[in-house]
Amino acid sequence: ITNLWTWLQQIAFEAWNFGRSDPRKIISSAKMGLALVLISLIILFKDLSQNSVWAIMTVVVVFEFSVGATLSRGYNRGLGTFSAGAIALVMAELSILTGNLEEVFIIISILITAFCVNFVKMYPPMKQYEYGFRVFLLTYCCIMVSGETIKEFFDTAVSRLLLIALGAAVCLAVTIFVYPIWAGDDLHNLVVKNFMNVATSLEGCVNGYLQCVEYDRVPSKILTYEAYDDPAYSSYRSAVNSTNQEDTLVCFAIWEPPHGRYRMFKYPWKNYVKVSDALRHCAFMVMALHGSMLSEIQAPAERRLAFNSELQRVGTEGAKVLRELGNKVNKMEKLSPGDILSKVHEAAEELQKKVDKKSYLLVNSAKWEIGRRAKVLSDPEDTDEDLDDKTKFLAKSLSETVLDLRSVKLSKSWNVHNTNTSAPTSLLEDDLSENMFKKQISWPSRFSLNSNMALSEESSTYESASALSLATFFSLLMELVARLQNLVDSFKELSEEANFNEPSIDPLVPEEIGGI
Amino acid sequence: ITNLWTWLQQIAFEAWNFGRSDPRKIISSAKMGLALVLISLIILFKDLSQNSVWAIMTVVVVFEFSVGATLSRGYNRGLGTFSAGAIALVMAELSILTGNLEEVFIIISILITAFCVNFVKMYPPMKQYEYGFRVFLLTYCCIMVSGETIKEFFDTAVSRLLLIALGAAVCLAVTIFVYPIWAGDDLHNLVVKNFMNVATSLEGCVNGYLQCVEYDRVPSKILTYEAYDDPAYSSYRSAVNSTNQEDTLVCFAIWEPPHGRYRMFKYPWKNYVKVSDALRHCAFMVMALHGSMLSEIQAPAERRLAFNSELQRVGTEGAKVLRELGNKVNKMEKLSPGDILSKVHEAAEELQKKVDKKSYLLVNSAKWEIGRRAKVLSDPEDTDEDLDDKTKFLAKSLSETVLDLRSVKLSKSWNVHNTNTSAPTSLLEDDLSENMFKKQISWPSRFSLNSNMALSEESSTYESASALSLATFFSLLMELVARLQNLVDSFKELSEEANFNEPSIDPLVPEEIGGI
C-alpha cells in the first residue's frame, strides 16, 4: 500500500509539473469536459438518447487542441458525412431498381467505393483529408447496409445530420468562444523560439570552442542525435527538428479566421514556414560548427586563442542579428532602415584578414618540401612582433608537440598500426556494455611507450590535421554569415506579405552605443 | 466537356503512376474493400442491421496499411471500449444510488472523466494511445447518457462488444492472412535505403567537388531545405528526414508477431532506429560537405585537382563501407571478420599525408609577415618536382588571381565597400520577384572597373578564404570517416541483438581483387 501511495504521489507530481509547463493543456481539457457536458445536457433534457451516439461521437472526435485543428476536423466530418449521404441516397435508389439483385449490387458498390476511397486517401496531397475519407466510408456503408428505402433514409439521415451538426456546433462554440487556443499563435511563437535557439547555439558553440570545452566522452545521445541536455546542442536540435510541428501548425493555422494580431484574410502563414526553413539552413551550419567541436581531432588551445577576439565578435554579432530578427518577428515589425548585416559582415571581414595574416597557424609547415622552417626563421627581414608569435608556435611544433597531442583524442580504429591495442579495446568494450557514453581512447600512454619512426610520422600527420580543424571552424563560420543574407531576404518577404508594422523606434541604436 | 475529359485522363494517369510506384497501396485498398464486404455480408445475412454501425465503424476505423498499425489500433479500440464499459457500469450503479440527484451525478462524472482523459491523452508518452483514450471517452459518455439500468446495460453492452469484436476479427483476419503488409519490413527496407542514399550522396559530393560542379544559382529550394531534384542533395535529405517515418514504423513493428525473416519474439526493432540514427550522424557530415559545395567562396579548380586521387579514394572507400553495411543489414548478416574500416582509414591517412605535404595550397602565404614568397622561392635547397608545383601556384597568386576570382561568387552584401551597387541590386530584385532561384552576384564586372587599393586587398582576402574552403572540405571528410566507427559499432550491436547470420561467403573479397 505504501508503494501504491508513493506511486500515486509521483503521478500527481508529474501531472502537476506537466500541467504547469503548459497551462493551456489544462484549459483545453476543461473545455473538452465543458463541451461534453453541454451536449449531454441537451441530450438528457431533449430526450434524444435514441441516436445520441452521433452527437457525442462528433464532439469526442472533432474536439482538438487548437481552433484551427477543430475547424479542419469539423469540416472533414461534415463534408464526409454529407457527400456520403448524398451518394448513398442515389445508390440506394439504383439498388432498388435492380430488383432481386439488390444485395449483389450493394456489395459490389461497397467494394468499389471502399477501394477508391482508400486508394485516394493514401495519395500524399490528400493526407490532410484522411479523416474526411474515413467518415465518408463509414456513413456510406452504414446507409447502404441498413437497407433503408428513401422514406426511412430521409428520416434517419436528417436526424443524424442534425445531431452531428449539433455536436459540431457545441464543439466550435466552446473552442472559439471559451479561451480560444490558436494554432497561428503557436506557429508564430515557435518561429520566434527557433530564432532565439539558433542564436543561443551559435554563441554556445563559438564560446565553447574558444574555451576549449572538450567532450572527454562524447555523449552517445549526441552521436545518435537524440535529445541531450547541452544548451549548444539542444537549442539547434529543437530548431532543426521543428519541421513537422511547423507543417502541422500551418495546416491548422490556415483554417483559422482572422484574430488577434493577425487581422487579415489569407494571412501568409506559409511565409512563416519559409523563414523558418531559411533559419534552418543557418542552423545546419551551427550544427556543423558543433560537429567540429565534437570532432576527435582538435586544434590546440593556443592556436584557437590567437583568433579569440575576432571569432568572438563574429559569433556575438551573428547571434545579435538572429535575436534581432527573432524580435522583429515577435513584434511583427519590418526591418529598420540600414543593413542589419553590416556589423556581422565587418566582423567576418576582420576575422578573414586575421586568418589571412596568420594562416601559418592553420597548417603544419614542417612538412613542406620547400622553404623549411629553419630557413624561414633565420630570415633577416623578420622584424615585427608577429615574429615572436610565429617562432613560438613553430618551436612548439618541435618541442611541445608531444604535449599538444595529449589533447588530441583518437578513436581506436585510427591506431591500426600499433600493436598493443589490448588495453584500449577492453576499455571500449566496457563502454559498449555501459552504453551511456562512448569514450574516445586517448593515446599518450602508448605514445610515450614506443616512439618509433612510423608513429612519430603519424603523430605529425595528426598535428597538421588538428590545425586544419581550426580552418574548418573558420570557414563554417564564414559560410554561416553568408547564409544570413538568405534569411534576411525571406524575412523581408514575410514582413511585406504579412503587412508588418513600420518600426517605431529603432531599438538597436541605444544598444549599439552601449556596446561600443 | 473536352476540358473535363482531359482532366479525367490526367487524374487516371496520375492514379496509375501512383499505384505503380507502390503496388502495395492498391493491394491495401483492395483488402479494405474485402474487409468491408465481408462485414456487410455478415450483417446482411444475419440481419444485424440494428447495431450494425458498430461493426462497420470498427472495420473502417481499425483498418490500417500495415499489420502492426491495425493491431495497435484494434488493441486501442478494444481496451478503450472494454475499460470504459466496466467503469461506466460501476458509475451507472452509483448514479442510481444517488436517487433524484442522478442526472447531476452523471453530468459531474462526465465532466471529471472528460477532463482527466483529455489531460492524460496530451502527456507525450501517452501519445500512441491517443486513439484508445478517444474511444474510452466516447463509450463512457454514450453509456452514461443513455441512462441504462444494469439489465439494459448488459444487453446492449454485450451486443455492442460482440459486434466490435466481429469487426475487429474480420479486420485482423484480412490484414494478416491476405497478403500481409508488415511495418517491420518497411522499417528494414527504409534503413537499407538510407544507407544507400548516404553512400550515393557522399560519392556525389566528392565527385561534384572534384569536377567543380558549380551552382551558378543555388536553387532556393536547397536554401530552404525543400525537396529538390539533385541526387547529391535529395539522397542525404531523405536519409536525414526519415526520422519521423522510422519512429512511426517502429511503433507499429513492435506490435507485429514474429514473421518472415524476423523469427524472434521481442525483435530489436529499436536497434534499427539506433543504427539509422548513427547513420544520420554521418549524413550530417555529408550535408556539411554539400554545404561547402554550395558555398559562395570556392577553391579554384587546380587546387582541388592537386588532391584529386586521394579525395576520390576516401569518397569511394567511404561509400563502399556504407554500401557494405547497407547490404549486411539487408541480408541480415554479421560483419565479416577483419576491420571493415581499414581501407577507408588507409585512404584517409593517405589524404592526410598529402594535405600535410601540400598544405601551402590551403593558405595564402603572400600575407605572412615573415618568410615572404620571394625568399622562399629563391631557396637553394628546392630540388624535387613539388617545387614546380608550388612555384606554379605561388606565381598564380600574383598573376592569375584575377582570373581565379571570376569563379568566386560573392553575395551582394559582401560588397558594402563598393559604391556602384545599383546594377546588381536590380538583378537581385528581379530574382526575388521570379522567386524560383536565388542568384549570387558575381563580381568580376566591378572588379575590372575600379581597381583601387582597398579592393585589391579585399580580393586577396577572398583568395585566401577560397583556399581555406578546400581545407574545410578535407576536415569534414576526415570527420565523416571518424564517425563511421560509431556507425559500425551500432551495427554490431544490432547484429548481435537481432541474431544476424554469420556471413557465409565474404562478398568483398572478389570485389576487392577486382578493384585492385
Side-chain angles (χ1 to χ4, degrees), chain A residues 343-370:
Chain A
K343 293 230 143 205
V344 68
H345 282 162
E346 250 172 59
E349 225 155 306
E350 279 297 304
L351 173 63
Q352 186 61 62
K353 277 179 194 154
K354 181 76 170 271
V355 169
D356 210 21
K357 277 188 195 149
K358 302 217 176 181
S359 55
Y360 52 85
L361 292 180
L362 305 181
V363 288
N364 186 13
S365 49
K367 279 293 193 69
W368 291 9
E369 282 83 356
I370 49 171

Side-chain angles (χ1 to χ4, degrees), chain A residues 119-129, chain B residues 18 25:
Chain A
F119 188 68
V120 173
K121 193 177 78 182
M122 283 188 279
Y123 192 57
M126 293 295 165
K127 193 104 201 274
Q128 50 178 319
Y129 305 115
Chain B
F18 174 63
K25 293 201 167 138

Side-chain angles (χ1 to χ4, degrees), chain A residues 168-227:
Chain A
V170 167
C171 245
L172 290 186
V174 170
T175 33
I176 295 182
F177 297 116
V178 183
Y179 195 92
I181 295 167
W182 303 100
D185 271 336
D186 277 4
L187 180 61
H188 181 104
N189 293 333
L190 182 64
V191 172
V192 173
K193 207 183 80 192
N194 283 347
F195 270 101
M196 301 309 168
N197 272 336
V198 176
T200 311
S201 242
L202 174 61
E203 280 183 337
C205 283
V206 172
N207 291 337
Y209 194 76
L210 289 175
Q211 286 153 25
C212 301
V213 171
E214 289 223 0
Y215 293 86
D216 276 342
R217 305 157 154 226
V218 176
S220 70
K221 291 209 167 178
I222 292 185
L223 289 183
T224 53
Y225 196 57
E226 284 171 75

Side-chain angles (χ1 to χ4, degrees), chain A residues 193-443:
Chain A
K193 207 183 80 192
N194 283 347
F195 270 101
M196 301 309 168
N197 272 336
V198 176
T200 311
S201 242
L202 174 61
E203 280 183 337
C205 283
V206 172
N207 291 337
Y209 194 76
L210 289 175
Q211 286 153 25
C212 301
V213 171
E214 289 223 0
Y215 293 86
D216 276 342
R217 305 157 154 226
V218 176
S220 70
K221 291 209 167 178
I222 292 185
L223 289 183
T224 53
Y225 196 57
E226 284 171 75
Y228 182 73
D229 194 25
D230 172 1
Y233 169 73
S234 62
S235 301
Y236 77 74
R237 184 177 178 274
S238 82
V240 168
N241 271 11
S242 64
T243 336
N244 270 45
Q245 218 183 332
E246 281 166 24
D247 287 346
T248 316
L249 285 177
V250 90
C251 277
F252 296 152
I254 49 179
W255 276 101
E256 293 176 351
H259 62 275
R261 301 194 284 171
Y262 319 103
R263 299 189 182 288
M264 202 174 149
F265 282 97
K266 300 213 169 193
Y267 197 80
W269 293 114
K270 288 196 174 148
N271 279 78
Y272 274 93
V273 178
K274 263 197 194 169
V275 170
S276 205
D277 280 336
L279 177 64
R280 216 163 284 125
H281 198 58
C282 296
F284 288 141
M285 271 297 130
V286 177
M287 185 187 235
L289 282 174
H290 190 242
S292 79
M293 263 177 82
L294 296 177
S295 171
E296 293 165 12
I297 302 161
Q298 288 288 351
E302 315 88 18
R303 296 198 176 194
R304 298 186 198 188
L305 290 178
F307 302 94
N308 189 6
S309 64
E310 285 81 8
L311 276 177
Q312 191 94 53
R313 201 176 145 213
V314 174
T316 318
E317 291 295 338
K320 218 187 258 171
V321 168
L322 289 172
R323 291 226 171 80
E324 170 72 5
L325 285 175
N327 277 330
K328 290 279 176 193
V329 172
N330 195 17
K331 287 191 268 172
M332 304 180 71
E333 271 183 9
K334 285 188 183 165
L335 281 181
S336 322
D339 191 356
I340 188 174
L341 292 174
S342 62
K343 293 230 143 205
V344 68
H345 282 162
E346 250 172 59
E349 225 155 306
E350 279 297 304
L351 173 63
Q352 186 61 62
K353 277 179 194 154
K354 181 76 170 271
V355 169
D356 210 21
K357 277 188 195 149
K358 302 217 176 181
S359 55
Y360 52 85
L361 292 180
L362 305 181
V363 288
N364 186 13
S365 49
K367 279 293 193 69
W368 291 9
E369 282 83 356
I370 49 171
R372 292 188 189 279
R373 250 185 347 239
K375 304 266 151 34
V376 173
L377 284 177
S378 63
D379 193 305
E381 274 189 35
D382 300 334
T383 47
D384 53 349
E385 56 99 41
D386 275 311
L387 175 59
D388 300 337
D389 220 24
K390 194 183 178 193
T391 320
K392 203 175 84 201
F393 282 111
L394 290 180
K396 195 161 278 171
S397 71
L398 280 181
S399 61
E400 268 189 281
T401 301
V402 184
L403 226 108
D404 284 346
L405 262 173
R406 279 178 198 281
S407 66
V408 179
K409 303 278 191 291
L410 293 165
S411 81
K412 174 199 147 216
S413 49
W414 284 99
N415 304 323
V416 275
H417 300 307
N418 296 315
T419 44
N420 57 341
T421 48
S422 54
T425 308
S426 68
L427 253 175
L428 192 75
E429 276 161 5
D430 269 13
D431 254 62
L432 278 178
S433 65
E434 210 182 70
N435 217 352
M436 258 302 289
F437 288 102
K438 187 135 298 180
K439 193 184 198 174
Q440 258 97 27
I441 294 146
S442 58
W443 85 353

Side-chain angles (χ1 to χ4, degrees), chain B residues 331-470:
Chain B
K331 288 191 267 173
M332 305 181 72
E333 272 183 8
K334 285 186 182 168
L335 281 181
S336 324
D339 190 356
I340 187 175
L341 292 175
S342 62
K343 293 228 143 206
V344 67
H345 281 163
E346 252 171 57
E349 226 154 305
E350 280 296 305
L351 173 63
Q352 186 60 63
K353 277 179 195 156
K354 180 76 170 274
V355 169
D356 211 21
K357 278 187 196 152
K358 302 218 175 179
S359 53
Y360 52 83
L361 291 180
L362 305 182
V363 289
N364 185 12
S365 49
K367 280 296 194 69
W368 292 10
E369 282 82 358
I370 49 172
R372 289 187 191 278
R373 251 183 348 235
K375 303 267 151 31
V376 174
L377 283 177
S378 62
D379 193 308
E381 275 191 33
D382 301 333
T383 48
D384 54 350
E385 56 98 42
D386 276 312
L387 174 60
D388 300 336
D389 222 22
K390 196 185 176 191
T391 319
K392 202 174 83 201
F393 281 110
L394 289 180
K396 193 160 278 169
S397 71
L398 281 181
S399 62
E400 267 189 281
T401 301
V402 183
L403 226 106
D404 284 347
L405 262 174
R406 281 180 196 278
S407 65
V408 179
K409 301 280 191 290
L410 295 165
S411 82
K412 174 200 147 214
S413 49
W414 284 99
N415 304 323
V416 275
H417 300 306
N418 296 314
T419 44
N420 57 343
T421 48
S422 55
T425 308
S426 69
L427 252 174
L428 191 75
E429 276 161 4
D430 267 12
D431 255 61
L432 278 177
S433 64
E434 207 182 71
N435 216 354
M436 259 303 288
F437 287 103
K438 187 134 296 179
K439 195 183 195 174
Q440 259 97 27
I441 293 146
S442 57
W443 86 354
S445 57
R446 263 157 304 135
F447 189 71
S448 49
L449 285 177
N450 47 358
S451 55
N452 52 8
M453 188 55 206
L455 193 58
S456 73
E457 189 185 307
E458 208 173 287
S459 82
S460 86
T461 300
Y462 289 114
E463 185 195 355
S464 87
S466 96
L468 269 187
S469 95
L470 189 56

Side-chain angles (χ1 to χ4, degrees), chain B residues 49-93:
Chain B
S49 53
Q50 193 62 31
N51 281 306
S52 63
V53 61
W54 295 102
I56 292 174
M57 193 192 294
T58 306
V59 172
V60 169
V61 160
V62 166
F63 195 92
E64 292 272 350
F65 187 66
S66 66
V67 176
T70 308
L71 280 172
S72 122
R73 274 268 182 170
Y75 169 82
N76 267 307
R77 184 163 188 94
L79 200 70
T81 311
F82 199 79
S83 58
I87 293 174
L89 174 62
V90 174
M91 295 305 272
E93 269 302 272

